Amino acid sequence: MLMAALIFFYGLIVVKSAWICDDAYISLRTVDNLVNGFGLRWNIEERVQSFSNPLWTLLLSGIYLFSREAFYTTILSSIFISLTAVSVYVLTISKTVYSAIAGVVLACCSKAFIDYSTSGLENPLTYLFVAIFLWVFFSSMKDDTRLFWLCFTASMAALNRMDSVLLFLPAIAYCFIAAPNKRGSIKYVVIASAPFLFWEVFSIIYYGFPFPNTAYAKLNVGVPMNDFIVQGFYYFSDSLRGDPVTLITIAACFILLFFIKDIKSIAAFSGVILYLVYVLMIGGDFMSGRFFAAPFFVSVIVLANVLQPFMKMKSSLVVPIVIVSISLLNPNNPLRSGSTYQNRVIDVRGIADERGWYYQGTGLLLSAEERSNPVNPSAYWTSTGLEYNKSFKEFPVRATNNAGFMGYYSGPNVFVIDHLGLCDPFLARLKPDLDSGWRSGLPVRTGWRIGHFYRHIPEGYIETQVEKKNHIQDPSYAELYDKLSLIVRGDIFTIKRFVEIWRFNTGWYDSIS
């Protein structure tokens, strides 16, 4: 009964905080196109993987097929999966009532964990895979069986979001090294990795590239690694200021393992270290705390496993009580913030409280109380200098910096050009303007905003999309567009197309962009 009450309490906090961000609608445009028979595409003329979460996108597609509605479909699916992930922790991983209470309290006090328990992004599925993976890892399964299920879970997590596999690799390596039959273990690893491997083969054949288009738009932008690392440190410091529970929990787990030296727990936690180094190197994200939510959940589970013998008495609840007390001092903490929550501030390093930015437009509580249409995209289009017009579908081509809401509500017959290149395979391969700053006019100190690398639209590119004929004036860009179009628009199974796929993926045309 108490365990059910804990899960219910977490559910209440999540429902109270539930929201959806603009980026979620990037995937939802693809979901809508797929369900309506246009394929896994952003613009129906092009095969481009504009989403970085294939499994989440496919899962939503299956539900959307019946609901034909985006907002409630996405937000209720997120809540259900997040509840399932926490239930796995409470009912299977936590061995005592006190460790279950401590874990749920930590989760409810972590702004990052609660914010991204919804949001419309793939985090809830990542939470679920983290919980299942560590439940299997700390279980008493036979070595081969454990290794198979660990690799299968990690494969599904990578299919959900490719970089999340870093959280799981050290634990898999630990089990592989401990396995008595290495040859048999390799077979299990390969078989269990089939879901992700299958997607990669499909991605190369269908899209022409092994990685999401977002990776090409965000990572190959000409920013020195040192600048990314500096930005990454700001991302860490931003989280520590606005959401101290998350990073302090991760740090506490690290310090505790340093003294206890439990090898198996260290292997499980090493994935967190690996992932945080990766986050630092890519400059973090513009969404405050997003990349810390899954590492935080890993840390909570590892702490529960290590401290299990000590959490068998009421005195062990002192720490959770202290954490709640401190969290209540923060007005932005999920325990305090409700339907009036708003924080529309982007700092000078381009990092924002995304829930605070969007909640008044897409908050679940507000949609239930104040409006029949829970999403008001016009508020965000206006904020980026784009005039919302109910007849905008009459325009065959539109350009935007915020592709999610506009892309979804434009419908399949409008070709939406994304200045950031996230959804545009051609612009993603052009060098961004690093001196232009973010197009909102905010005083971003670096001149660029992390995750928002603005591309100028080449002369003739819009005409090219309107008339379906290459009018790009720059000869090198025109050539690049023709080569790329063979991959993303041409017949799939042709020798010329596969030759161009090879050339693009081996850097033949890098000098053009």
Side-chain angles (χ1 to χ4, degrees):
M1 191 67 178
L2 179 58
M3 298 301 194
L6 284 172
I7 296 169
F8 180 74
F9 176 70
Y10 165 75
L12 283 179
I13 302 298
V14 171
V15 169
K16 182 168 71 76
S17 306
W19 64 294
I20 290 185
C21 64
D22 180 80
D23 279 36
Y25 277 80
I26 293 177
S27 297
L28 287 168
R29 176 175 166 93
T30 299
V31 166
D32 186 68
N33 283 339
L34 175 63
V35 168
N36 286 294
F38 298 113
L40 279 166
R41 306 180 181 199
W42 166 257
N43 290 312
I44 61 176
E45 294 93 339
E46 296 180 328
R47 294 180 295 269
V48 55
Q49 187 185 335
S50 59
F51 51 93
S52 57
N53 44 20
L55 187 60
W56 179 241
T57 299
L58 292 173
L59 175 63
L60 289 181
S61 299
I63 304 172
Y64 189 87
L65 178 65
F66 300 98
S67 71
R68 301 292 172 142
E69 186 280 331
F71 179 82
Y72 290 108
T73 295
T74 303
I75 212 163
L76 293 178
S77 298
S78 300
I79 291 170
F80 176 78
I81 294 172
S82 295
L83 276 170
T84 303
V86 171
S87 297
V88 171
Y89 167 76
V90 170
L91 300 176
T92 64
I93 297 174
S94 179
K95 304 301 182 184
T96 70
V97 171
Y98 302 114
S99 63
I101 293 174
V104 172
V105 166
L106 280 170
C108 291
C109 291
S110 167
K111 188 177 186 304
F113 189 78
I114 294 297
D115 280 2
Y116 294 98
S117 290
T118 51
S119 83
L121 302 174
E122 73 288 334
N123 291 64
L125 261 184
T126 300
Y127 295 172
L128 181 58
F129 290 130
V130 164
I132 293 172
F133 183 91
L134 292 177
W135 171 60
V136 172
F137 182 71
F138 289 119
S139 72
S140 56
M141 289 183 184
K142 293 181 179 179
D143 290 339
D144 288 342
T145 304
R146 179 191 291 114
L147 185 60
F148 173 83
W149 286 113
L150 290 177
C151 291
F152 180 78
T153 305
S155 175
M156 296 297 286
L159 184 56
N160 184 49
R161 183 177 172 89
M162 193 177 296
D163 54 16
S164 68
V165 75
L166 297 173
L167 291 167
F168 309 109
L169 287 179
I172 290 174
Y174 171 86
C175 290
F176 181 81
I177 292 171
N181 181 5
K182 296 294 188 295
R183 182 174 297 180
S185 296
I186 293 174
K187 179 182 69 175
Y188 281 115
V189 170
V190 173
I191 294 173
S193 302
F196 177 69
L197 297 176
F198 175 81
W199 174 262
E200 282 300 287
V201 172
F202 168 80
S203 182
I204 292 172
I205 293 175
Y206 186 72
Y207 294 117
F209 301 95
F211 304 113
N213 195 66
T214 53
Y216 302 98
K218 291 182 179 182
L219 299 181
N220 184 29
V221 294
V223 175
M225 178 61 69
N226 288 344
D227 290 351
F228 270 135
I229 292 174
V230 170
Q231 178 68 26
F233 276 114
Y234 276 98
Y235 188 65
F236 277 75
S237 64
D238 169 82
S239 180
L240 195 58
R241 289 193 307 272
D243 178 27
V245 170
T246 299
L247 286 184
I248 288 175
T249 299
I250 295 173
C253 189
F254 175 82
I255 294 169
L256 185 67
L257 291 175
F258 181 81
F259 289 103
I260 293 183
K261 293 182 173 59
D262 180 84
I263 301 301
K264 195 168 186 178
S265 296
I266 290 173
F269 183 76
S270 294
V272 172
I273 302 297
L274 191 62
Y275 189 83
L276 293 183
V277 170
Y278 160 77
V279 170
L280 185 68
M281 293 180 66
I282 64 170
D285 191 37
F286 66 94
M287 299 185 184
S288 180
R290 178 192 176 189
F291 283 173
F292 298 134
F296 164 82
F297 196 33
V298 173
S299 302
V300 168
I301 294 174
V302 172
L303 279 172
N305 181 73
V306 172
L307 296 177
Q308 210 80 247
F310 308 101
M311 304 200 71
K312 296 180 179 179
M313 56 192 72
K314 293 182 180 180
S315 59
S316 63
L317 296 180
V318 172
V319 173
I321 292 172
V322 171
I323 291 172
V324 169
S325 301
I326 294 174
S327 297
L328 289 174
L329 298 175
N330 181 1
N332 294 334
N333 190 272
L335 295 178
R336 286 187 58 180
S337 57
S339 61
T340 60
Y341 186 61
Q342 183 171 334
N343 184 19
R344 290 173 66 84
V345 174
I346 299 177
D347 71 13
V348 294
R349 303 299 301 199
I351 303 169
D353 175 356
E354 288 287 289
R355 180 167 69 91
W357 187 271
Y358 286 109
Y359 189 85
Q360 293 303 309
T362 66
L364 178 61
L365 292 184
L366 293 177
S367 71
E369 295 173 0
E370 300 178 9
R371 61 174 66 94
S372 57
N373 178 14
V375 176
N376 182 17
S378 62
Y380 308 115
W381 297 349
T382 301
S383 71
T384 59
L386 296 166
E387 182 180 359
Y388 177 63
N389 186 327
K390 289 185 178 179
S391 63
F392 73 91
K393 290 183 181 180
E394 297 174 4
F395 299 94
V397 177
R398 288 181 68 87
T400 179
N401 303 337
N402 297 70
F405 294 133
M406 175 179 280
Y408 178 82
Y409 287 103
S410 292
N413 295 323
V414 176
F415 191 97
V416 179
I417 298 174
D418 173 21
H419 275 288
L420 307 182
L422 302 176
C423 311
D424 192 304
F426 174 65
L427 293 184
R429 284 158 180 82
L430 304 186
K431 294 298 182 185
D433 180 359
L434 298 179
D435 296 322
S436 64
W438 188 44
R439 292 289 105 180
S440 67
L442 290 175
V444 180
R445 185 180 299 168
T446 55
W448 45 267
R449 187 186 182 197
I450 190 69
H452 292 70
F453 295 100
Y454 187 91
R455 274 85 172 176
H456 293 289
I457 297 177
E459 291 290 330
Y461 185 58
I462 292 179
E463 292 80 0
T464 297
Q465 304 311 327
V466 173
E467 299 182 17
K468 312 304 178 188
K469 182 180 179 181
N470 194 339
H471 290 285
I472 299 175
Q473 295 183 12
D474 186 301
S476 60
Y477 283 173
E479 179 189 3
L480 182 70
Y481 179 80
D482 284 338
K483 300 293 186 183
L484 189 60
S485 291
L486 185 61
I487 296 176
V488 301
R489 294 172 182 250
D491 293 336
I492 294 178
F493 296 103
T494 66
I495 294 177
K496 285 185 178 180
R497 179 174 181 270
F498 282 105
V499 168
E500 293 303 332
I501 289 173
W502 171 261
R503 287 177 173 174
F504 266 93
N505 284 288
T506 54
W508 276 47
Y509 303 119
D510 287 354
S511 60
I512 296 179
S513 60

PDB file of all heavy atoms in Angstrom, residues 81 104 156 222 247 256 422-423 427 429:
ATOM      1  N   ILE A  81       4.722   6.169 -19.130  1.00  0.00           N
ATOM      2  CA  ILE A  81       6.032   5.505 -19.194  1.00  0.00           C
ATOM      3  C   ILE A  81       6.917   5.944 -18.035  1.00  0.00           C
ATOM      4  O   ILE A  81       7.643   5.121 -17.450  1.00  0.00           O
ATOM      5  CB  ILE A  81       6.696   5.780 -20.551  1.00  0.00           C
ATOM      6  CG1 ILE A  81       5.880   5.122 -21.670  1.00  0.00           C
ATOM      7  CG2 ILE A  81       8.124   5.249 -20.581  1.00  0.00           C
ATOM      8  CD1 ILE A  81       6.335   5.495 -23.058  1.00  0.00           C
ATOM      9  N   VAL A 104      12.152   8.009  -4.322  1.00  0.00           N
ATOM     10  CA  VAL A 104      11.037   8.784  -4.877  1.00  0.00           C
ATOM     11  C   VAL A 104      11.139  10.250  -4.464  1.00  0.00           C
ATOM     12  O   VAL A 104      10.860  11.154  -5.261  1.00  0.00           O
ATOM     13  CB  VAL A 104       9.689   8.175  -4.445  1.00  0.00           C
ATOM     14  CG1 VAL A 104       8.536   9.091  -4.849  1.00  0.00           C
ATOM     15  CG2 VAL A 104       9.496   6.795  -5.065  1.00  0.00           C
ATOM     16  N   MET A 156      17.910  -1.190 -27.250  1.00  0.00           N
ATOM     17  CA  MET A 156      16.642  -0.469 -27.341  1.00  0.00           C
ATOM     18  C   MET A 156      16.808   0.986 -26.889  1.00  0.00           C
ATOM     19  O   MET A 156      16.210   1.895 -27.464  1.00  0.00           O
ATOM     20  CB  MET A 156      15.581  -1.175 -26.493  1.00  0.00           C
ATOM     21  CG  MET A 156      15.227  -2.576 -26.963  1.00  0.00           C
ATOM     22  SD  MET A 156      14.487  -2.596 -28.610  1.00  0.00           S
ATOM     23  CE  MET A 156      12.856  -1.955 -28.249  1.00  0.00           C
ATOM     24  N   GLY A 222      32.054  24.106 -36.930  1.00  0.00           N
ATOM     25  CA  GLY A 222      33.216  24.974 -36.940  1.00  0.00           C
ATOM     26  C   GLY A 222      33.538  25.633 -35.622  1.00  0.00           C
ATOM     27  O   GLY A 222      34.376  26.532 -35.565  1.00  0.00           O
ATOM     28  N   LEU A 247      22.584  17.470  -9.569  1.00  0.00           N
ATOM     29  CA  LEU A 247      24.034  17.258  -9.634  1.00  0.00           C
ATOM     30  C   LEU A 247      24.618  16.867  -8.283  1.00  0.00           C
ATOM     31  O   LEU A 247      25.604  16.109  -8.226  1.00  0.00           O
ATOM     32  CB  LEU A 247      24.725  18.507 -10.165  1.00  0.00           C
ATOM     33  CG  LEU A 247      24.574  18.769 -11.666  1.00  0.00           C
ATOM     34  CD1 LEU A 247      25.389  19.990 -12.082  1.00  0.00           C
ATOM     35  CD2 LEU A 247      25.003  17.560 -12.499  1.00  0.00           C
ATOM     36  N   LEU A 256      30.552   8.498  -2.545  1.00  0.00           N
ATOM     37  CA  LEU A 256      30.261   7.298  -1.758  1.00  0.00           C
ATOM     38  C   LEU A 256      30.966   6.075  -2.338  1.00  0.00           C
ATOM     39  O   LEU A 256      31.568   5.273  -1.602  1.00  0.00           O
ATOM     40  CB  LEU A 256      28.751   7.061  -1.714  1.00  0.00           C
ATOM     41  CG  LEU A 256      28.283   5.906  -0.836  1.00  0.00           C
ATOM     42  CD1 LEU A 256      28.549   6.205   0.636  1.00  0.00           C
ATOM     43  CD2 LEU A 256      26.793   5.628  -1.051  1.00  0.00           C
ATOM     44  N   LEU A 422      18.127  21.568 -38.514  1.00  0.00           N
ATOM     45  CA  LEU A 422      17.767  20.331 -37.820  1.00  0.00           C
ATOM     46  C   LEU A 422      16.916  19.431 -38.702  1.00  0.00           C
ATOM     47  O   LEU A 422      17.019  18.205 -38.625  1.00  0.00           O
ATOM     48  CB  LEU A 422      16.997  20.658 -36.524  1.00  0.00           C
ATOM     49  CG  LEU A 422      17.706  21.549 -35.516  1.00  0.00           C
ATOM     50  CD1 LEU A 422      16.781  21.857 -34.346  1.00  0.00           C
ATOM     51  CD2 LEU A 422      18.990  20.907 -35.024  1.00  0.00           C
ATOM     52  N   CYS A 423      16.081  20.025 -39.521  1.00  0.00           N
ATOM     53  CA  CYS A 423      15.139  19.272 -40.339  1.00  0.00           C
ATOM     54  C   CYS A 423      15.441  19.390 -41.832  1.00  0.00           C
ATOM     55  O   CYS A 423      14.665  18.896 -42.657  1.00  0.00           O
ATOM     56  CB  CYS A 423      13.707  19.769 -40.079  1.00  0.00           C
ATOM     57  SG  CYS A 423      13.265  19.887 -38.341  1.00  0.00           S
ATOM     58  N   LEU A 427      20.719  22.438 -45.594  1.00  0.00           N
ATOM     59  CA  LEU A 427      21.227  23.481 -44.697  1.00  0.00           C
ATOM     60  C   LEU A 427      22.093  22.902 -43.587  1.00  0.00           C
ATOM     61  O   LEU A 427      23.023  23.551 -43.108  1.00  0.00           O
ATOM     62  CB  LEU A 427      20.067  24.274 -44.095  1.00  0.00           C
ATOM     63  CG  LEU A 427      19.240  25.133 -45.053  1.00  0.00           C
ATOM     64  CD1 LEU A 427      18.199  25.933 -44.285  1.00  0.00           C
ATOM     65  CD2 LEU A 427      20.129  26.062 -45.868  1.00  0.00           C
ATOM     66  N   ARG A 429      24.300  20.837 -43.815  1.00  0.00           N
ATOM     67  CA  ARG A 429      25.660  20.620 -44.292  1.00  0.00           C
ATOM     68  C   ARG A 429      26.350  21.907 -44.714  1.00  0.00           C
ATOM     69  O   ARG A 429      27.448  21.881 -45.267  1.00  0.00           O
ATOM     70  CB  ARG A 429      25.634  19.590 -45.426  1.00  0.00           C
ATOM     71  CG  ARG A 429      25.441  18.191 -44.855  1.00  0.00           C
ATOM     72  CD  ARG A 429      24.890  17.190 -45.837  1.00  0.00           C
ATOM     73  NE  ARG A 429      24.751  15.900 -45.146  1.00  0.00           N
ATOM     74  CZ  ARG A 429      23.710  15.580 -44.362  1.00  0.00           C
ATOM     75  NH1 ARG A 429      22.722  16.440 -44.180  1.00  0.00           N
ATOM     76  NH2 ARG A 429      23.667  14.402 -43.745  1.00  0.00           N
TER      77      ARG A 429
END
